[in-house]
Short mmCIF file of all heavy atoms in Angstrom, two decimals:
data_model
loop_
_atom_site.label_atom_id
_atom_site.label_comp_id
_atom_site.label_asym_id
_atom_site.label_seq_id
_atom_site.Cartn_x
_atom_site.Cartn_y
_atom_site.Cartn_z
N VAL A 806 97.45 117.55 50.24
CA VAL A 806 98.84 118.12 50.34
C VAL A 806 98.83 119.55 49.86
O VAL A 806 99.67 120.27 50.34
CB VAL A 806 99.80 117.23 49.51
CG1 VAL A 806 99.44 117.23 48.01
CG2 VAL A 806 101.26 117.47 49.90
N ALA A 807 97.92 119.95 49.01
CA ALA A 807 97.96 121.29 48.42
C ALA A 807 97.58 122.17 49.64
O ALA A 807 98.21 123.35 49.68
CB ALA A 807 97.05 121.54 47.25
N SER A 808 96.55 121.78 50.42
CA SER A 808 96.05 122.70 51.47
C SER A 808 97.21 122.83 52.55
O SER A 808 97.37 123.90 53.06
CB SER A 808 94.85 122.30 52.01
OG SER A 808 94.88 120.99 52.60
N LEU A 809 97.90 121.77 52.80
CA LEU A 809 99.00 121.78 53.85
C LEU A 809 100.00 122.65 53.30
O LEU A 809 100.77 123.35 54.18
CB LEU A 809 99.51 120.36 54.17
CG LEU A 809 100.47 120.23 55.21
CD1 LEU A 809 100.04 120.85 56.55
CD2 LEU A 809 100.79 118.69 55.42
N ALA A 810 100.38 122.57 52.06
CA ALA A 810 101.50 123.34 51.57
C ALA A 810 101.16 124.85 51.63
O ALA A 810 102.12 125.69 51.77
CB ALA A 810 101.74 122.99 49.99
N ARG A 811 99.86 125.28 51.53
CA ARG A 811 99.54 126.58 51.70
C ARG A 811 99.51 127.22 53.04
O ARG A 811 99.53 128.37 53.25
CB ARG A 811 98.12 126.86 51.02
CG ARG A 811 98.17 126.75 49.51
CD ARG A 811 96.75 127.18 48.95
NE ARG A 811 95.61 126.47 49.45
CZ ARG A 811 95.10 125.32 48.92
NH1 ARG A 811 95.58 124.96 47.74
NH2 ARG A 811 94.02 124.83 49.38
N ALA A 812 99.50 126.28 53.97
CA ALA A 812 99.50 126.76 55.43
C ALA A 812 100.71 127.40 55.92
O ALA A 812 101.83 127.18 55.22
CB ALA A 812 99.26 125.59 56.39
N GLU A 813 100.56 128.34 56.81
CA GLU A 813 101.86 128.88 57.39
C GLU A 813 102.49 127.90 58.33
O GLU A 813 101.86 127.13 59.01
CB GLU A 813 101.43 130.25 58.13
CG GLU A 813 101.00 131.33 57.29
CD GLU A 813 102.02 131.82 56.32
OE1 GLU A 813 103.26 131.81 56.73
OE2 GLU A 813 101.61 132.36 55.18
N LEU A 814 103.91 127.97 58.45
CA LEU A 814 104.62 127.12 59.27
C LEU A 814 104.16 127.16 60.75
O LEU A 814 103.91 126.19 61.46
CB LEU A 814 106.15 127.27 59.18
CG LEU A 814 106.98 126.41 60.19
CD1 LEU A 814 106.69 124.90 59.91
CD2 LEU A 814 108.39 126.84 59.99
N SER A 815 103.89 128.47 61.18
CA SER A 815 103.40 128.63 62.55
C SER A 815 102.08 127.96 62.81
O SER A 815 101.91 127.40 63.92
CB SER A 815 103.23 130.13 62.86
OG SER A 815 102.26 130.70 61.86
N GLU A 816 101.22 127.86 61.97
CA GLU A 816 99.94 127.06 61.91
C GLU A 816 100.26 125.54 62.30
O GLU A 816 99.55 124.95 63.01
CB GLU A 816 98.99 127.37 60.83
CG GLU A 816 98.47 128.74 60.58
CD GLU A 816 97.76 128.74 59.26
OE1 GLU A 816 98.31 128.80 58.14
OE2 GLU A 816 96.47 128.74 59.37
N VAL A 817 101.07 125.13 61.42
CA VAL A 817 101.35 123.64 61.50
C VAL A 817 102.02 123.38 62.79
O VAL A 817 101.62 122.39 63.42
CB VAL A 817 102.34 123.26 60.29
CG1 VAL A 817 102.65 121.81 60.41
CG2 VAL A 817 101.67 123.46 58.97
N LEU A 818 102.96 124.18 63.25
CA LEU A 818 103.61 123.96 64.53
C LEU A 818 102.65 124.01 65.65
O LEU A 818 102.73 123.21 66.55
CB LEU A 818 104.68 124.88 64.78
CG LEU A 818 105.87 124.78 63.88
CD1 LEU A 818 106.90 126.05 63.98
CD2 LEU A 818 106.76 123.51 64.17
N ALA A 819 101.76 124.96 65.55
CA ALA A 819 100.64 125.02 66.63
C ALA A 819 99.82 123.76 66.62
O ALA A 819 99.54 123.30 67.80
CB ALA A 819 99.81 126.30 66.47
N ALA A 820 99.52 123.25 65.51
CA ALA A 820 98.55 122.07 65.43
C ALA A 820 99.48 120.75 65.98
O ALA A 820 98.78 119.82 66.42
CB ALA A 820 98.07 121.81 64.06
N TRP A 821 100.69 120.93 65.80
CA TRP A 821 101.64 119.82 66.16
C TRP A 821 101.93 119.85 67.54
O TRP A 821 102.35 118.75 68.20
CB TRP A 821 102.91 119.89 65.30
CG TRP A 821 103.69 118.66 65.39
CD1 TRP A 821 104.70 118.34 66.38
CD2 TRP A 821 103.68 117.56 64.44
NE1 TRP A 821 105.23 117.10 66.03
CE2 TRP A 821 104.71 116.61 64.86
CE3 TRP A 821 103.03 117.33 63.41
CZ2 TRP A 821 104.91 115.41 64.17
CZ3 TRP A 821 103.24 116.09 62.63
CH2 TRP A 821 104.17 115.12 63.05
N ALA A 822 101.76 120.96 68.38
CA ALA A 822 102.17 121.03 69.72
C ALA A 822 101.76 119.97 70.64
O ALA A 822 100.56 119.68 70.60
CB ALA A 822 101.59 122.48 70.27
N GLY A 823 102.59 119.35 71.35
CA GLY A 823 102.32 118.29 72.17
C GLY A 823 102.74 116.90 71.61
O GLY A 823 102.81 115.92 72.39
N LEU A 824 102.88 116.78 70.36
CA LEU A 824 103.43 115.49 69.73
C LEU A 824 104.92 115.33 69.78
O LEU A 824 105.52 114.24 69.65
CB LEU A 824 103.04 115.48 68.29
CG LEU A 824 101.46 115.07 68.03
CD1 LEU A 824 101.27 115.07 66.47
CD2 LEU A 824 101.14 113.78 68.53
N GLY A 825 105.66 116.39 70.12
CA GLY A 825 107.16 116.33 70.34
C GLY A 825 107.88 116.13 68.90
O GLY A 825 107.30 116.00 67.82
N TYR A 826 109.15 116.14 69.08
CA TYR A 826 110.05 115.89 67.89
C TYR A 826 109.56 116.85 66.80
O TYR A 826 109.22 116.48 65.73
CB TYR A 826 110.04 114.46 67.37
CG TYR A 826 110.44 113.44 68.45
CD1 TYR A 826 109.54 112.83 69.33
CD2 TYR A 826 111.87 113.13 68.56
CE1 TYR A 826 109.94 111.99 70.26
CE2 TYR A 826 112.24 112.23 69.48
CZ TYR A 826 111.27 111.54 70.43
OH TYR A 826 111.74 110.79 71.42
N TYR A 827 109.71 118.16 67.05
CA TYR A 827 109.10 119.21 66.30
C TYR A 827 109.78 119.32 64.93
O TYR A 827 109.16 120.00 64.09
CB TYR A 827 109.17 120.57 67.03
CG TYR A 827 108.18 120.37 68.27
CD1 TYR A 827 108.65 120.07 69.58
CD2 TYR A 827 106.87 120.53 68.07
CE1 TYR A 827 107.90 120.05 70.56
CE2 TYR A 827 105.97 120.45 69.16
CZ TYR A 827 106.49 120.10 70.42
OH TYR A 827 105.68 119.99 71.45
N ALA A 828 111.06 118.91 64.82
CA ALA A 828 111.57 118.88 63.36
C ALA A 828 110.68 118.08 62.44
O ALA A 828 110.69 118.43 61.25
CB ALA A 828 112.94 118.22 63.44
N ARG A 829 109.88 117.06 62.98
CA ARG A 829 109.00 116.36 62.08
C ARG A 829 108.07 117.35 61.44
O ARG A 829 107.62 117.18 60.22
CB ARG A 829 108.27 115.18 62.93
CG ARG A 829 109.21 114.11 63.28
CD ARG A 829 108.35 113.08 63.99
NE ARG A 829 107.82 113.51 65.17
CZ ARG A 829 106.70 113.00 65.88
NH1 ARG A 829 106.18 112.00 65.26
NH2 ARG A 829 106.25 113.48 66.93
N ALA A 830 107.42 118.17 62.22
CA ALA A 830 106.43 119.15 61.75
C ALA A 830 107.10 120.12 60.73
O ALA A 830 106.33 120.44 59.74
CB ALA A 830 105.91 119.91 62.97
N ARG A 831 108.27 120.63 61.04
CA ARG A 831 108.83 121.37 60.03
C ARG A 831 109.23 120.75 58.79
O ARG A 831 108.90 121.34 57.63
CB ARG A 831 110.25 122.09 60.57
CG ARG A 831 110.07 122.87 61.85
CD ARG A 831 111.29 123.61 62.21
NE ARG A 831 112.47 122.79 62.45
CZ ARG A 831 112.76 122.19 63.65
NH1 ARG A 831 111.97 122.46 64.67
NH2 ARG A 831 113.85 121.56 63.89
N ASN A 832 109.63 119.46 58.88
CA ASN A 832 109.86 118.68 57.66
C ASN A 832 108.47 118.36 56.95
O ASN A 832 108.53 118.25 55.75
CB ASN A 832 110.49 117.41 58.08
CG ASN A 832 112.05 117.63 58.21
OD1 ASN A 832 112.68 118.55 57.56
ND2 ASN A 832 112.80 116.81 59.11
N LEU A 833 107.47 118.15 57.63
CA LEU A 833 106.11 117.84 57.25
C LEU A 833 105.78 118.93 56.28
O LEU A 833 105.24 118.77 55.11
CB LEU A 833 105.14 117.65 58.26
CG LEU A 833 103.71 117.25 57.85
CD1 LEU A 833 103.71 115.71 57.71
CD2 LEU A 833 102.65 117.64 58.95
N HIS A 834 105.75 120.20 56.80
CA HIS A 834 105.47 121.37 56.04
C HIS A 834 106.33 121.58 54.74
O HIS A 834 105.84 121.83 53.59
CB HIS A 834 105.53 122.45 56.97
CG HIS A 834 104.98 123.80 56.30
ND1 HIS A 834 105.76 124.93 55.95
CD2 HIS A 834 103.69 124.18 55.97
CE1 HIS A 834 105.11 125.86 55.48
NE2 HIS A 834 103.73 125.48 55.38
N ALA A 835 107.58 121.28 54.98
CA ALA A 835 108.50 121.40 53.79
C ALA A 835 108.21 120.42 52.74
O ALA A 835 108.37 120.67 51.53
CB ALA A 835 109.92 121.37 54.32
N CYS A 836 107.98 119.18 53.14
CA CYS A 836 107.57 118.13 52.14
C CYS A 836 106.38 118.42 51.59
O CYS A 836 106.33 118.25 50.27
CB CYS A 836 107.52 116.76 53.04
SG CYS A 836 107.23 115.37 51.97
N ALA A 837 105.36 118.82 52.17
CA ALA A 837 104.11 119.20 51.54
C ALA A 837 104.44 120.26 50.40
O ALA A 837 103.80 120.14 49.27
CB ALA A 837 103.12 119.65 52.52
N ARG A 838 105.14 121.22 50.69
CA ARG A 838 105.42 122.23 49.63
C ARG A 838 106.17 121.73 48.45
O ARG A 838 106.00 122.05 47.37
CB ARG A 838 106.27 123.45 50.24
CG ARG A 838 105.37 124.27 51.34
CD ARG A 838 105.79 125.48 51.67
NE ARG A 838 104.84 126.34 52.18
CZ ARG A 838 105.02 127.63 52.64
NH1 ARG A 838 106.34 128.21 52.68
NH2 ARG A 838 104.09 128.31 53.22
N THR A 839 107.23 120.84 48.76
CA THR A 839 107.92 120.14 47.69
C THR A 839 107.00 119.33 46.93
O THR A 839 107.09 119.42 45.65
CB THR A 839 109.08 119.31 48.39
OG1 THR A 839 109.99 120.16 49.01
CG2 THR A 839 109.93 118.62 47.30
N VAL A 840 106.20 118.63 47.41
CA VAL A 840 105.26 117.78 46.64
C VAL A 840 104.33 118.60 45.77
O VAL A 840 103.99 118.36 44.57
CB VAL A 840 104.55 116.66 47.54
CG1 VAL A 840 103.41 116.04 46.70
CG2 VAL A 840 105.53 115.76 48.15
N ALA A 841 103.77 119.66 46.48
CA ALA A 841 102.72 120.53 45.81
C ALA A 841 103.37 121.34 44.73
O ALA A 841 102.76 121.46 43.59
CB ALA A 841 101.99 121.36 46.75
N GLU A 842 104.46 121.95 45.00
CA GLU A 842 105.05 122.93 44.08
C GLU A 842 106.01 122.29 43.04
O GLU A 842 106.09 122.71 41.87
CB GLU A 842 105.88 123.97 44.86
CG GLU A 842 105.10 124.76 45.77
CD GLU A 842 105.80 125.56 46.72
OE1 GLU A 842 107.10 125.63 46.58
OE2 GLU A 842 105.11 126.20 47.70
N ASP A 843 106.77 121.10 43.33
CA ASP A 843 107.70 120.55 42.40
C ASP A 843 107.18 119.32 41.69
O ASP A 843 107.80 118.95 40.69
CB ASP A 843 109.02 120.28 43.20
CG ASP A 843 109.64 121.54 43.82
OD1 ASP A 843 109.28 122.64 43.27
OD2 ASP A 843 110.44 121.36 44.59
N ARG A 844 106.09 118.61 42.35
CA ARG A 844 105.68 117.47 41.76
C ARG A 844 104.18 117.41 41.41
O ARG A 844 103.62 116.39 41.39
CB ARG A 844 106.07 116.34 42.78
CG ARG A 844 107.48 116.13 43.18
CD ARG A 844 107.79 114.86 43.83
NE ARG A 844 107.39 113.69 43.07
CZ ARG A 844 108.16 113.07 42.28
NH1 ARG A 844 109.45 113.43 42.07
NH2 ARG A 844 107.77 111.98 41.59
N GLY A 845 103.65 118.61 41.25
CA GLY A 845 102.24 118.67 40.93
C GLY A 845 101.38 118.05 41.84
O GLY A 845 100.16 117.64 41.46
N GLY A 846 101.67 117.96 43.13
CA GLY A 846 100.73 117.34 44.03
C GLY A 846 100.85 115.88 44.07
O GLY A 846 99.97 115.29 44.99
N ARG A 847 101.71 115.24 43.57
CA ARG A 847 101.69 113.72 43.46
C ARG A 847 103.08 113.24 44.20
O ARG A 847 104.14 113.75 43.89
CB ARG A 847 101.82 113.31 41.99
CG ARG A 847 100.42 113.48 41.23
CD ARG A 847 100.51 112.98 39.82
NE ARG A 847 100.63 111.57 39.81
CZ ARG A 847 99.62 110.75 39.81
NH1 ARG A 847 98.40 111.21 39.93
NH2 ARG A 847 99.78 109.44 39.86
N PHE A 848 102.78 112.36 45.06
CA PHE A 848 104.02 111.75 45.75
C PHE A 848 104.68 110.71 44.87
O PHE A 848 103.96 110.10 44.18
CB PHE A 848 103.47 110.95 47.13
CG PHE A 848 103.14 111.89 48.21
CD1 PHE A 848 101.94 112.40 48.31
CD2 PHE A 848 104.09 112.21 49.15
CE1 PHE A 848 101.71 113.26 49.39
CE2 PHE A 848 103.87 112.99 50.27
CZ PHE A 848 102.67 113.55 50.37
N PRO A 849 106.00 110.70 44.92
CA PRO A 849 106.70 109.67 44.14
C PRO A 849 106.37 108.24 44.62
O PRO A 849 105.98 108.10 45.84
CB PRO A 849 108.15 109.99 44.35
CG PRO A 849 108.19 110.79 45.65
CD PRO A 849 106.93 111.50 45.71
N GLU A 850 106.52 107.23 43.73
CA GLU A 850 106.05 105.81 43.99
C GLU A 850 107.21 104.93 44.50
O GLU A 850 106.93 103.86 44.91
CB GLU A 850 105.31 105.24 42.95
CG GLU A 850 104.09 106.13 42.46
CD GLU A 850 103.31 105.48 41.40
OE1 GLU A 850 103.54 104.39 41.02
OE2 GLU A 850 102.29 106.16 40.84
N THR A 851 108.37 105.38 44.29
CA THR A 851 109.49 104.45 44.71
C THR A 851 110.25 104.89 45.86
O THR A 851 110.28 106.11 46.32
CB THR A 851 110.57 104.40 43.49
OG1 THR A 851 111.18 105.68 43.47
CG2 THR A 851 109.90 104.01 42.16
#
């Protein structure tokens, strides 16, 4: 999750191209940054 959080959004969108529903890729990137920056890289358990 830390490496994904460091990526540029444009890189993530390019890697996602063809999977469709691109809001998922934007949220994926935002979620990675939230987990890495606000939760020390750990996903909540509940």
Side-chain angles (χ1 to χ4, degrees):
V806 72
S808 57
L809 182 57
R811 289 192 298 268
E813 294 295 329
L814 177 59
S815 59
E816 296 178 278
V817 176
L818 288 171
W821 193 274
L824 282 176
Y826 300 92
Y827 295 98
R829 291 181 300 158
R831 299 194 298 274
N832 284 329
L833 184 86
H834 188 248
C836 184
R838 290 196 165 179
T839 297
V840 172
E842 295 169 8
D843 300 342
R844 302 190 59 88
R847 296 178 64 87
F848 282 86
E850 299 184 12
T851 66

